[in-house]
Amino acid sequence: MAESKRGPQPTRAVSKLVALAAAVLLSACATVVPRGPTPAPDRPVAQKPRPTRGPDTGGVIAGVPQDAERNRVALLVPLSGSNAGVGRSIANATQLALLDARSQQVRITNYDTATGAAAAANRAIAEGAQLILGPLLADDVRAVTPIARRAGVPVISFSNDVSVAGNGTYVMGYAPNQSIERVVAFARSQGVQNFGGLVPNALYGSRASTVFLRAVEQAGGRVVSLQTYDRAPSAVAQAVTRMNKDAPFDAVMIADGGSTAAAAAPLLKRASPSTRLLGTELWNSDRAVATQAALNGAWFASVPDNLYRQYAQNYRARFSAGPYRLSSLGYDAVLLVVRISRDWRVGSAFPQNRLRDADGFAGIDGAFRFGRDGVAERALEVQEVRGGTTVTVSPAPTRFDD
């Protein structure tokens, strides 16, 4: 087991950041980048790092760190229970990032949140953690935040729930609002005027609908119909029937996973044959999206996939299994920490002010920076589902706009 425990930035700045991340990644493996996205298996097999202090461990060991030569970082993810697969994949990714970056300044210790996120945070801080990466789930972030705040330890979470950000807690996950705003703006640039929306009766759907309405208004479009549905058989079909009374639509946003979108697609196109389907960031981690013929031609905004494909190949070579898509958050978090660690004196508090660097950071998910609200602002691309794969139809911007 791995350790159980301001104005627009110059184009050149972000390009250099991404180039740096690519150099770190490619230096670890000279293999050719595959053309298509690498699918993530349901149960990746985690390789147990050897409990040594040699450089080939990447600074990850089992038990409490014994040396005082590296900055101590805690990784809080589920290592058991129903979410163990993705948690293990994130843990493996952090190890791979340390190896690729050849960092000798950071030591990461893993703590299992499945047995209690608060207990994991208390243990990590008691054992000297000066920074926490994770947790993954929003409820776990809420449990960890007050504990970390009292200890003066920043938290860089992998959640996409922006409500948990602030007061020393940062959200690194893919925020739904950014992907919705991006794809709506792109759709308007392509002549889409009349929009429809399908959203589930849940917290995600409620937030997505609010963002969707605002994004369409700001882009100069018009929402003709917005329908909600319950998680029950035939509920989506009933919502589409209600929506079709206001057809035709130029585009319809479906704030749900690929299977739900695929089920709704043929029903929508009966009344609006030429309608363009729009998805959210959920589609980027849903491997079924590209294979759904009903979604052919659909657009969705997500983090870029070009460097991820190389990372997935390197991950598979080391761990004999493919990574979960979300594991890239762990990899990029470590690249961020390694960069900051150059100015982080061992034994001192983590320099939290560096997280708000306006130039941002680079990773395999592209360029990002943390705003004043503690949420990661990302440079997103728009992808189109096409012939069993996805292709980029609008590249990620090369500059951040304030």
Side-chain angles (χ1 to χ4, degrees):
M1 177 182 290
E3 298 175 288
S4 57
K5 316 255 180 190
R6 308 158 234 223
Q9 299 302 310
T11 298
R12 191 168 45 192
V14 174
S15 297
K16 284 183 176 180
L17 287 172
V18 176
L20 177 61
V24 169
L25 181 64
L26 294 176
S27 67
C29 183
T31 50
V32 178
V33 178
R35 292 184 180 178
T38 303
D42 292 334
R43 297 178 182 175
V45 179
Q47 175 171 312
K48 301 177 182 180
R50 298 175 182 175
T52 67
R53 297 186 187 180
D56 63 339
T57 65
V60 183
I61 64 169
V64 181
Q66 299 299 314
D67 68 72
E69 299 176 357
R70 303 181 192 184
N71 291 306
R72 301 182 183 183
V73 176
L75 176 67
L76 272 62
V77 289
L79 300 173
S80 59
S82 60
N83 293 312
V86 65
R88 280 287 174 197
S89 195
I90 293 173
N92 288 346
T94 62
Q95 177 188 350
L96 189 60
L98 283 176
L99 290 167
D100 289 352
R102 296 180 173 86
S103 175
Q104 295 298 312
Q105 298 171 288
V106 176
R107 184 181 296 282
I108 297 178
T109 306
N110 300 345
Y111 298 83
D112 186 5
T113 56
T115 56
N122 278 318
R123 185 177 179 188
I125 291 170
E127 293 178 356
Q130 300 138 299
L131 173 69
I132 290 175
L133 302 181
L136 175 63
L137 305 178
D139 286 345
D140 287 346
V141 179
R142 293 187 181 95
V144 166
T145 292
I147 297 169
R149 187 184 303 142
R150 285 195 296 270
V153 174
V155 175
I156 302 177
S157 78
F158 303 135
S159 171
N160 68 349
D161 187 340
V162 299
S163 71
V164 301
N167 296 315
T169 294
Y170 298 80
V171 167
M172 197 170 172
Y174 316 130
N177 62 311
Q178 294 178 33
S179 69
I180 293 172
E181 291 165 356
R182 176 77 166 95
V183 76
V184 165
F186 174 74
R188 279 291 295 127
S189 75
Q190 301 303 300
V192 172
Q193 174 66 31
N194 297 319
F195 292 79
L198 284 172
V199 297
N201 277 322
L203 181 59
Y204 180 91
S206 175
R207 291 175 176 172
S209 63
T210 299
V211 174
F212 174 61
L213 290 169
R214 184 179 67 240
V216 172
E217 180 182 7
Q218 291 178 343
R222 184 168 71 103
V223 176
V224 178
S225 178
L226 179 64
Q227 299 293 332
T228 62
Y229 56 89
D230 295 324
R231 298 293 191 187
S234 76
V236 172
Q238 292 170 6
V240 173
T241 299
R242 297 192 300 270
M243 172 172 284
N244 283 344
K245 294 176 181 179
D246 297 311
F249 304 95
D250 298 326
V252 175
M253 163 73 69
I254 304 176
D256 212 327
S259 58
T260 298
L267 303 176
L268 286 166
K269 293 192 174 183
R270 287 178 187 172
S272 298
S274 61
T275 192
R276 181 78 67 165
L277 301 182
L278 308 178
T280 72
E281 90 296 340
L282 294 175
W283 289 21
N284 192 46
S285 56
D286 187 343
R287 56 180 173 162
V289 166
T291 63
Q292 297 280 0
L295 297 182
N296 216 37
W299 292 330
F300 65 98
S302 74
V303 293
D305 269 342
N306 53 330
L307 290 180
Y308 176 81
R309 293 167 185 168
Q310 180 65 64
Y311 153 77
Q313 191 171 24
N314 293 354
Y315 183 107
R316 184 180 294 278
R318 181 166 183 81
F319 299 108
S320 301
Y324 277 72
R325 185 61 182 84
L326 289 177
S327 68
S328 58
L329 294 173
Y331 190 101
D332 284 357
V334 170
L335 291 190
L336 177 157
V337 173
V338 168
R339 177 182 170 185
I340 292 178
S341 68
R342 299 168 188 166
D343 303 315
W344 181 13
R345 184 171 53 83
V346 175
S348 65
F350 179 79
Q352 186 175 166
N353 63 305
R354 290 291 309 280
L355 292 175
R356 293 183 287 275
D357 187 340
D359 286 339
F361 303 92
I364 55 179
D365 281 338
F368 67 97
R369 64 178 180 179
F370 290 106
R372 294 181 179 179
D373 57 0
V375 177
E377 175 189 359
R378 295 184 174 276
L380 303 179
E381 68 180 16
V382 177
Q383 297 181 32
E384 180 179 313
V385 179
R386 188 184 299 172
T389 187
T390 59
V391 297
T392 301
V393 292
S394 178
T398 55
R399 61 192 292 168
F400 288 116
D401 293 321
D402 289 341

